[in-house]
Amino acid sequence: MKQIAYLCLSLILMSSALFAQEQEANALKKGHTNTNKFRQLYDEFSTPNMFRSASGAPGPAYYQQQADYKMDIVLDDKISRITGYETITYTNNSPDELKYLWVQLEQNKRAKDSKSPLIESSGVAPVMFPNAFTKEFMSEPLERGFNILEVNDISGKPLPHTINRTMMRVELPKPMKHGDKFSFSVKWWYNINDHVVEDGRSGYEYFPKDGNKAYVIAQFFPRMAVYSDVEGWQNSQFWGRDEFALPFGNYEVNITVPADHILDGTGVLTNRKEVYTKTMLERYETAKRSYDKPVLIVNQTEAEAAEKGFSEQTKTWKLKAENVRDFGFATSRKFILDMMAVKIGGKDVMAVSMYPKEGNPLWEEWSTRVVASTLESFSRMTFDYPYHKAISVHAKQQGMEYPMICWNYGRPEEDGTYSDRVKYGMMGVITHEVGHNFFPMIVNSDERQWTWMDEGLNTFVQYVAEQDFGEKYPSALSPQDKHFPSDRGPAKMIIPYMGGDQNFIAPIMTKGLNTYQFGNNAYGKPATALNILRETVMGRELFDYAFKEYANRWMFKHPTPEDFFRTMEDASAFDLDWYWRGWFYTTDWVDIGVKEVKKYFVSDEPNAYMREYMEERGVKRNQLKPLVYLVEEGSEDFKEKMKTKSLLENSKPLQEYIMDNFTPEERKSIKEPKYFYNVTFEKPGGLVMPIIVEYTYADGTSNQVTYPAQIWRFNDNEVSKAIASDKEIVSITVDPNEETADIDTSNNSWPQKIQQSDFDQFKEKIKG
């Protein structure tokens, strides 16, 4: 260490002089606020309180409301209509007095008088398909949206209520105090949308060849809004993009459908013996003991036979769920049904798939296996999956999630063939939507406000789960793929977005409705940020511990972004304010490069810098303490010293010159470097990141060093490192493994690599 101090003294003196000049210049400027990128996030964060602690954990006074539902639902398959009657029991666990309740009516987004289409900019396209032209200019709005028939108290007395688009305010007979419960009923109906033609997160798909419909149904009932310590009532209107904020509760739901339908949904099927045939029950019992492959409960031959029936009879399926935030179900006579068991934390969970024959052979082979593998991976990264099942339902152009059930795209051609794109797309969307059982169905963030908290976190764990799946089922991969080809997660995949037009990029910390490039912003960038945090900044062990702590702290609760940020730091001892600010609060990008490399030689004679210093102060050589003088290669001073042979170019004279200043005992711990460099790194990009550097030596070996991000804390533009090496450095590469999402790699190497275009131009000049 002493040797390095002596060797670098001249450089330190030079740096000190430059720093003093800079300080003097700054003294003449006006003052400024703290713009350092390592400043704490106190301005951005709320003050901790009794509800939410500074550690990121729920506080001692944390509360959340509860909404319990009892519903009777009838689905009329002939006219595609849902009629429902529900009783909601609402519990006020807040310390506040409530005068009214807010109920969500998301189906009103599709109503004739909906304002949602009016907020979207549109224009006349020069060329359009006939169906698109007709839909845009020649079609009347369909009869959609909730028809609220009654809103009554428990005694049947009408309650005053006001509908404001997708929200309904219900006036209470008297204010609810802390601990009060209030029950009321709502009766309604609505016409189900064709989700293939009209879009939407739920609805039906019509199959013209056999005349059947497959239903994936959600947002089908008036649902309580969230009341919390952060937002009060979360009654932000549903415009179509931002998803949902919902309280937890218990559900008892009876759903009446045609007798030849196969149905499943959120919760435990309490009357399985009534709705399953004897054969289905036997197969179900077999599936409960099958851990390696799915068991068909309804096979394709049986489903194809059912397609022709169109029963006039009905059957009621009864489902009961505890501590869930929502409810969804799927039903059709076309459905094939398979299941297998997966062991999660010592208990059995059923992985389930429902799909029409149009999904085969792809779905029968892989859907349920993907469900099972996803539950294992997400449980490892967070907590043991607490529910008894997870269902994947095949639905064209869909990808949507609800507690214990989700719908997913991925359809082969009519002849059963499919491309890698279709196969991987299906596997990826199932992984993603099943993963949503964890975020936000259990770790229940506010999707209406912070889309990234469910989509981004879920996409990050999806990447981990996809890689696990590829390792577990290598036969699922195409021959050219060594790993599952995830399309989000790795750093290099977000580069085109982060390096794009700043006019069309918003910070991650933006309400989803107001976000440009929704998929990149809410899914891709936060997933990449967390992946880099795990792999490059924190390391897997510390990251995984903190991430798991966040998930366990906030399971079945309502976290905010601050709760996530604070917990990740609290559980890891990593100060990450700089990281959250850069990646989540700004649209800065990564661009770090090698600006300059200077090679130095040691001299036993004063260099130019020291000679000037001595002359200014009248210092004689014999008055100086022993010093080491470094001379830059190629400088005038270097050329002069080459003539006088005062450079200590090889190890022996250098060693002798240095060692005279140390005792024999001290010499034992001193290295013997032969080469000295000053490497300057620049940061044209605004985003602070570690500098990952690979040094390659003349003997062909290399060494990788990671300088922590804090290296930029005093200079946000460039920093230098003095390097002493026993081997000659022949090349330097920044971010050699593409870990940081660096948008411009042209400055990442020294000597600078010749681009192919430059090389081609060079060859043309030679020819000329």
Side-chain angles (χ1 to χ4, degrees):
M1 294 299 294
K2 289 183 179 179
Q3 180 200 22
I4 298 299
Y6 276 94
L7 291 174
C8 298
L9 179 60
S10 292
L11 293 175
I12 293 171
L13 290 170
M14 293 170 64
S15 299
S16 298
L18 291 171
F19 182 74
Q21 293 174 11
E22 185 179 352
Q23 291 292 93
E24 185 178 352
N26 286 338
L28 303 175
K29 298 178 180 178
K30 294 181 179 179
H32 62 276
T33 59
N34 188 356
T35 58
N36 190 292
K37 291 183 178 178
F38 291 89
R39 69 190 184 278
Q40 299 304 110
L41 281 166
Y42 292 126
D43 290 345
E44 290 84 356
F45 279 6
S46 303
T47 302
N49 52 48
M50 292 293 286
F51 304 116
R52 295 168 192 272
S53 70
S55 70
Y62 175 80
Y63 72 86
Q64 61 192 39
Q65 311 291 65
Q66 181 163 335
D68 300 324
Y69 300 82
K70 291 185 178 180
M71 284 188 274
D72 291 300
I73 306 297
V74 177
L75 188 150
D76 189 329
D77 186 33
K78 291 183 178 179
I79 60 174
S80 300
R81 176 176 294 180
I82 280 183
T83 302
Y85 180 84
E86 70 181 339
T87 299
I88 304 174
T89 299
Y90 188 75
T91 303
N92 181 21
N93 294 317
S94 79
D96 305 327
E97 188 175 88
L98 304 179
K99 293 175 59 180
Y100 45 77
L101 306 178
W102 280 103
V103 179
Q104 304 184 71
L105 304 175
E106 278 87 0
Q107 289 296 329
N108 284 356
K109 185 260 179 187
R110 315 191 70 82
K112 278 189 173 184
D113 61 352
S114 172
K115 305 295 183 185
S116 292
L118 302 180
I119 71 169
E120 302 298 339
S121 179
S122 62
V124 176
V127 179
M128 298 180 72
F129 289 106
N131 57 343
F133 180 84
T134 302
K135 181 180 178 181
E136 179 73 19
F137 299 115
M138 301 175 67
S139 300
E140 287 292 328
L142 298 170
E143 188 62 51
R144 298 287 184 258
F146 279 118
N147 293 273
I148 304 297
L149 304 179
E150 298 176 5
V151 181
N152 298 329
D153 66 16
I154 202 66
S155 65
K157 182 180 178 181
L159 290 171
H161 59 280
T162 302
I163 295 176
N164 175 15
R165 296 188 58 249
T166 62
M167 288 287 170
M168 178 171 69
R169 188 181 66 237
V170 178
E171 308 294 338
L172 294 168
K174 63 176 183 178
M176 291 184 72
K177 297 181 179 179
H178 172 74
D180 285 353
K181 295 179 183 288
F182 180 74
S183 296
F184 65 103
S185 63
V186 184
K187 187 177 182 180
W188 78 94
W189 67 269
Y190 74 91
N191 292 323
I192 305 170
N193 59 296
D194 180 335
H195 69 72
V196 178
V197 176
E198 305 171 53
D199 298 324
R201 288 169 170 78
S202 70
Y204 67 83
E205 176 184 359
Y206 177 66
F207 294 84
K209 287 189 176 182
D210 54 55
N212 281 287
K213 297 170 184 172
Y215 295 89
V216 287
I217 301 298
Q219 293 88 247
F220 65 94
F221 61 101
R223 307 181 294 172
M224 288 303 307
V226 166
Y227 185 87
S228 73
D229 62 288
V230 178
E231 293 280 345
W233 283 109
Q234 173 48 288
N235 54 10
S236 178
Q237 294 285 347
F238 178 57
W239 292 94
R241 171 179 282 181
D242 294 340
E243 290 177 0
F244 314 110
L246 299 157
F248 288 103
N250 302 321
Y251 287 72
E252 292 182 30
V253 185
N254 303 321
I255 308 170
T256 301
V257 296
D260 50 2
H261 272 215
I262 297 297
L263 181 147
D264 209 341
T266 304
V268 176
L269 181 58
T270 60
N271 66 333
R272 193 180 304 272
K273 291 181 180 180
E274 297 173 17
V275 294
Y276 271 26
T277 65
K278 182 180 178 180
T279 301
M280 290 172 66
L281 286 169
E282 291 172 352
R283 293 169 178 171
Y284 172 69
E285 291 300 320
T286 302
K288 288 165 65 176
R289 301 186 299 274
S290 178
Y291 298 92
D292 59 344
K293 62 180 180 180
V295 174
L296 286 163
I297 312 300
V298 177
N299 61 38
Q300 182 165 331
T301 301
E302 292 161 341
E304 289 178 347
E307 286 179 352
K308 304 168 184 176
F310 295 93
S311 174
E312 295 291 332
Q313 305 300 312
T314 62
K315 188 183 290 185
T316 299
W317 298 64
K318 298 180 179 181
L319 293 156
K320 185 176 182 179
E322 294 182 354
N323 205 22
V324 295
R325 64 163 238 168
D326 201 0
F327 192 99
F329 69 94
T331 182
S332 176
R333 62 178 59 86
K334 289 178 66 66
F335 281 153
I336 301 164
L337 174 65
D338 71 49
M339 303 180 187
M340 68 181 282
V342 54
K343 191 72 72 175
I344 302 290
K347 76 170 189 177
D348 290 341
V349 175
M350 297 306 293
V352 184
S353 293
M354 303 166 68
Y355 45 96
K357 66 178 185 295
E358 285 77 7
N360 270 341
L362 182 59
W363 274 67
E364 188 171 308
E365 179 68 19
W366 291 116
S367 175
T368 299
R369 287 182 169 91
V370 175
V371 174
S373 181
T374 300
L375 293 176
E376 291 173 329
S377 295
F378 271 77
S379 294
R380 186 185 79 248
M381 293 293 292
T382 58
F383 44 75
D384 290 342
Y385 183 67
Y387 298 133
H388 74 289
K389 67 182 177 185
I391 311 167
S392 168
V393 184
H394 176 81
K396 189 175 184 179
Q397 300 173 7
Q398 282 289 340
M400 195 59 201
E401 71 280 356
Y402 303 93
M404 305 181 217
I405 190 168
C406 58
W407 8 109
N408 306 295
Y409 57 77
R411 181 167 296 178
E413 301 294 332
E414 288 190 22
D415 63 2
T417 61
Y418 51 86
S419 64
D420 283 350
R421 182 173 178 271
V422 169
K423 177 184 68 174
Y424 288 135
M426 180 270 272
M427 293 172 171
V429 73
I430 293 175
T431 304
H432 183 88
E433 305 305 343
V434 170
H436 270 309
N437 277 288
F438 296 80
F439 307 99
M441 299 302 146
I442 296 171
V443 182
N444 189 14
S445 56
D446 181 352
E447 298 180 87
R448 191 64 54 89
Q449 184 65 40
W450 303 114
T451 307
W452 71 267
M453 283 198 74
D454 72 293
E455 299 296 358
L457 268 64
N458 187 51
T459 303
F460 158 68
V461 188
Q462 174 192 347
Y463 169 69
V464 175
E466 286 173 344
Q467 299 311 303
D468 288 348
F469 179 80
E471 292 178 10
K472 184 174 183 179
Y473 293 107
S475 62
L477 304 180
S478 300
Q480 72 274 13
D481 296 318
K482 294 182 180 179
H483 307 283
F484 191 97
S486 300
D487 57 4
R488 284 176 173 144
K492 62 184 179 181
M493 292 182 174
I494 203 64
I495 289 173
Y497 169 68
M498 293 186 69
D501 187 344
Q502 284 286 313
N503 291 314
F504 301 100
I505 299 176
I508 292 174
M509 290 291 287
T510 301
K511 183 177 170 65
L513 180 68
N514 308 324
T515 298
Y516 298 106
Q517 302 187 59
F518 187 67
N520 283 321
N521 179 282
Y523 295 67
K525 186 179 176 183
T528 299
L530 295 178
N531 196 44
I532 293 174
L533 197 59
R534 182 181 190 234
E535 302 290 353
T536 302
V537 178
M538 296 176 70
R540 288 189 179 186
E541 183 178 357
L542 285 171
F543 179 94
D544 289 358
Y545 182 93
F547 191 77
K548 185 184 284 281
E549 179 68 14
Y550 165 73
N552 279 272
R553 281 180 176 182
W554 289 99
M555 63 186 301
F556 298 111
K557 295 182 177 68
H558 302 289
T560 67
E562 293 168 32
D563 298 321
F564 174 67
F565 297 149
R566 284 175 162 148
T567 296
M568 291 299 293
E569 296 189 25
D570 180 72
S572 67
F574 254 88
D575 185 347
L576 294 167
D577 285 18
W578 61 274
Y579 197 83
W580 309 133
R581 174 178 285 108
W583 278 90
F584 288 80
Y585 287 87
T586 79
T587 62
D588 282 348
W589 59 88
V590 181
D591 184 8
I592 298 172
V594 184
K595 181 180 181 180
E596 187 178 54
V597 178
K598 294 182 178 180
K599 187 175 182 180
Y600 285 84
F601 291 83
V602 175
S603 174
D604 55 0
E605 292 292 331
N607 56 20
Y609 174 84
M610 200 62 198
R611 290 198 301 273
E612 183 179 346
Y613 176 89
M614 293 163 61
E615 186 177 337
E616 287 179 354
R617 291 163 177 76
V619 177
K620 303 296 183 183
R621 173 74 186 275
N622 59 8
Q623 295 176 291
L624 293 174
K625 293 181 179 180
L627 293 173
V628 177
Y629 305 101
L630 283 92
V631 181
E632 182 186 345
E633 184 180 51
S635 66
E636 292 300 319
D637 204 14
F638 173 81
K639 296 173 184 176
E640 287 297 321
K641 288 191 171 4
M642 286 289 287
K643 294 176 183 177
T644 60
K645 299 184 178 180
S646 60
L647 295 178
L648 306 178
E649 294 186 65
N650 46 55
S651 182
K652 188 173 181 181
L654 172 61
Q655 183 183 20
E656 292 173 353
Y657 178 62
I658 296 293
M659 292 306 182
D660 288 344
N661 298 286
F662 299 94
T663 67
E665 198 61 36
E666 289 175 320
R667 295 178 189 180
K668 293 179 182 179
S669 61
I670 295 177
K671 299 177 183 178
E672 300 182 16
K674 303 183 183 71
Y675 302 94
F676 306 95
Y677 304 89
N678 191 72
V679 183
T680 301
F681 300 99
E682 62 178 350
K683 188 169 71 64
L687 205 56
V688 169
M689 288 293 283
I691 310 175
I692 306 169
V693 188
E694 183 175 73
Y695 297 100
T696 301
Y697 305 101
D699 64 359
T701 62
S702 63
N703 178 42
Q704 188 165 299
V705 179
T706 297
Y707 303 107
Q710 284 75 10
I711 194 173
W712 301 104
R713 68 197 187 283
F714 293 136
N715 190 328
D716 195 47
N717 298 313
E718 63 180 51
V719 293
S720 294
K721 293 299 294 184
I723 309 293
S725 173
D726 61 345
K727 296 183 286 188
E728 183 181 9
I729 297 175
V730 295
S731 71
I732 300 173
T733 305
V734 170
D735 194 16
N737 300 318
E738 300 179 306
E739 296 179 59
T740 66
D742 194 318
I743 71 164
D744 180 8
T745 58
S746 65
N747 60 350
N748 283 31
S749 301
W750 173 87
Q752 190 170 16
K753 293 179 180 178
I754 299 176
Q755 300 295 323
Q756 186 63 41
S757 58
D758 296 335
F759 185 64
D760 292 341
Q761 291 178 14
F762 177 71
K763 288 194 296 183
E764 289 299 320
K765 287 182 179 179
I766 293 176
K767 289 179 182 178

